[in-house]
């Protein structure tokens, strides 16, 4: 499986009963604490493997580091990443470091799966329900945090969201027979939902009242505290998405908000959605059924 359907990772079939799934991702810090940054970056990198239905096995560190910072900072970043890789049940198998003006960190992750268990973002079927496993708003919260506009509790909540592995969410999804899955990252909910809709040849109808959103992110969006990536996402998707006039602008801004280590968007038979939500309740209180798939009607996404 290559990049023709904008999927989350590459899958290579080794033999009839074994496939390798691979991904790579890295970015600059969005928080000041190096250990926390390492955790967030690793969580984000591992997420693509979970979205494809694979199990992470090995990870290679990728780190860019400026010579002006103490080497101990690098150690803290790597320790944070190691903690999440270990939590995932995988191992760090080396990596590569270069000197750069700005720190950047992430992982190249390899996982394994049975070829018949591969989950793509293009398998959604008409009548499927859509379940989102994490609430939205981390990009806006991160922007507000850099401006000193978050309380300690709001900051901790942001970090909690960005360091929560999608491991348990994936396990619940696999137990309930999902048709398609993608993780919500830099293209925001609507960007990744569009990839699912376009790849599946359906229209995804999203209920804005059901989509889980962080309260503080919505408040900040109302004040215009929005990352530039959200505007880029909106501009790119304007021909494919229709948002009802009744949906407030600040809410649609959150739907375009680029997420870091966001949740999974799962398409599955509607009658199985309640079971998935019950299973997810053991691990998170954020998961919601947010819409459904219907025959393509000229727009890939409709938000009501």
């Amino acid at each position: 499986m290559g990049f023709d359907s904008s999927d989350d990772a590459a899958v290579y079939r080794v033999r009839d009963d074994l496939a390798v799934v691979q991904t790579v991702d890295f970015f600059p810090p969005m928080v000041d604490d190096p250990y926390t940054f390492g955790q967030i970056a690793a969580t984000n990198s591992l997420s693509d493997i979970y979205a494809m239905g694979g199990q992470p096995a090995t990870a290679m560190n990728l780190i860019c580091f400026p010579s002006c910072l103490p080497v101990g900072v690098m150690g803290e970043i790597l320790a944070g990443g190691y903690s999440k890789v270990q939590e995932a049940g995988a191992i760090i198998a080396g990596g590569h470091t270069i000197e750069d003006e700005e720190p950047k960190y992430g992982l190249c992750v390899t996982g394994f799966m049975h070829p018949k268990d591969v989950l793509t973002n293009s398998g959604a079927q008409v009548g499927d329900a859509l379940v989102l496993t994490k609430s939205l708003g981390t990009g806006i919260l991160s922007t507000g945090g850099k401006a000193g506009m978050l309380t300690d509790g709001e900051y901790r909540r942001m970090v909690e969201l960005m360091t929560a592995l999608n491991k348990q969410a994936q396990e619940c999804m696999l137990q309930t027979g999902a048709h398609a899955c993608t993780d919500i990252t830099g293209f925001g909910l609507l960007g990744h939902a569009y990839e699912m809709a376009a790849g599946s040849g359906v229209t995804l109808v999203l209920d804005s009242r059901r989509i889980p959103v962080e309260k503080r992110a919505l408040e900040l969006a109302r004040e215009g505290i929005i990352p530039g990536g959200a505007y880029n996402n909106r501009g790119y998707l304007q021909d494919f998405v229709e948002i009802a006039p009744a949906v407030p602008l600040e809410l649609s801004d959150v739907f375009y908000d680029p997420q870091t280590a966001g949740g999974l968007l799962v398409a599955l038979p509607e009658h199985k959605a309640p079971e998935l939500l019950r299973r997810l309740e053991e691990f998170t209180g954020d998961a919601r059924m947010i819409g459904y798939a219907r025959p393509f009607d000229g727009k890939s996404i409709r938000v009501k």
Side-chain angles (χ1 to χ4, degrees):
M1 179 178 298
F3 47 79
D4 53 317
S5 62
S6 301
D7 238 308
D8 297 302
V11 180
Y12 182 83
R13 186 171 66 180
V14 178
R15 55 179 190 252
D16 289 343
D17 63 345
L18 178 66
V20 174
V21 55
Q22 292 183 303
T23 188
V24 61
D25 205 341
F26 65 105
F27 45 64
M30 69 296 296
V31 294
D32 291 332
D33 180 69
Y35 183 86
T36 302
F37 167 50
Q39 287 188 307
I40 293 170
T43 300
N44 189 77
S45 299
L46 290 159
S47 186
D48 287 340
I49 303 295
Y50 291 126
M52 300 297 294
Q55 302 303 317
T58 64
M60 307 283 282
N61 286 314
L62 296 171
I63 188 161
C64 305
F65 199 76
S67 58
C68 61
L69 288 179
V71 71
V73 173
M74 182 192 297
E76 286 294 298
I77 294 172
L78 294 174
Y82 172 79
S83 73
K84 302 312 289 187
V85 172
Q86 187 178 46
E87 183 182 337
I91 60 171
I92 295 287
H96 188 68
T97 305
I98 65 170
E99 185 177 337
D100 199 0
E101 293 181 358
E102 181 181 29
K104 301 175 186 71
Y105 174 64
L107 300 172
C108 179
V109 188
T110 298
F112 297 105
M113 63 201 312
H114 195 288
K116 70 178 179 62
D117 294 331
V118 174
L119 268 177
T120 71
N121 65 0
S122 57
Q125 301 178 17
V126 171
D128 277 355
L130 302 170
V131 171
L132 181 63
T133 66
K134 282 188 187 182
S135 62
L136 303 174
T138 56
I140 292 170
L141 291 174
S142 179
T143 301
K146 292 173 182 177
M149 300 178 71
L150 300 183
T151 66
D152 289 345
E154 291 163 350
Y155 178 84
R156 287 194 298 271
R157 171 61 176 165
M158 177 189 72
V159 170
E160 175 189 333
L161 284 168
M162 293 195 291
T163 57
L165 290 178
N166 282 322
K167 179 179 180 179
Q168 288 81 16
Q170 185 218 51
E171 291 172 355
C172 295
M173 169 185 71
L174 295 177
Q175 290 165 354
T176 49
H179 287 154
C181 181
T182 188
D183 62 329
I184 308 303
T185 52
F187 296 139
L189 171 65
L190 295 184
H192 291 284
Y194 163 69
E195 291 179 338
M196 179 180 285
S200 305
V202 300
T203 292
L204 299 185
V205 180
L206 306 182
D207 187 339
S208 62
R209 299 163 297 180
R210 293 187 176 187
I211 298 172
V213 170
E214 290 297 302
K215 179 182 177 182
R216 183 55 177 153
L218 192 60
E219 293 170 348
L220 289 170
R222 193 175 294 121
E223 298 173 25
I225 309 301
I226 301 166
Y231 295 109
N232 294 338
N233 289 340
R234 184 185 287 272
Y236 175 75
L237 294 165
Q238 60 183 346
D239 294 333
F240 312 110
V241 175
E242 182 170 284
I243 300 178
V247 178
L249 176 61
E250 62 269 20
L251 191 55
S252 68
D253 283 336
V254 178
F255 299 160
Y256 286 111
D257 182 37
Q259 304 299 283
T260 299
L264 300 179
L265 178 64
V266 183
L268 76 168
E270 186 175 7
H271 71 276
K272 292 186 176 182
E275 178 188 351
L276 175 57
L277 291 170
R278 283 195 300 272
R279 291 180 182 274
L280 288 168
E281 282 178 358
E282 183 179 347
F283 307 104
T284 175
D286 297 331
R288 299 287 187 277
M289 190 177 84
I290 65 168
Y292 55 93
R294 73 181 190 189
F296 181 70
D297 64 8
K299 291 289 184 181
S300 293
I301 305 290
R302 293 190 182 275
V303 183
K304 63 180 184 178

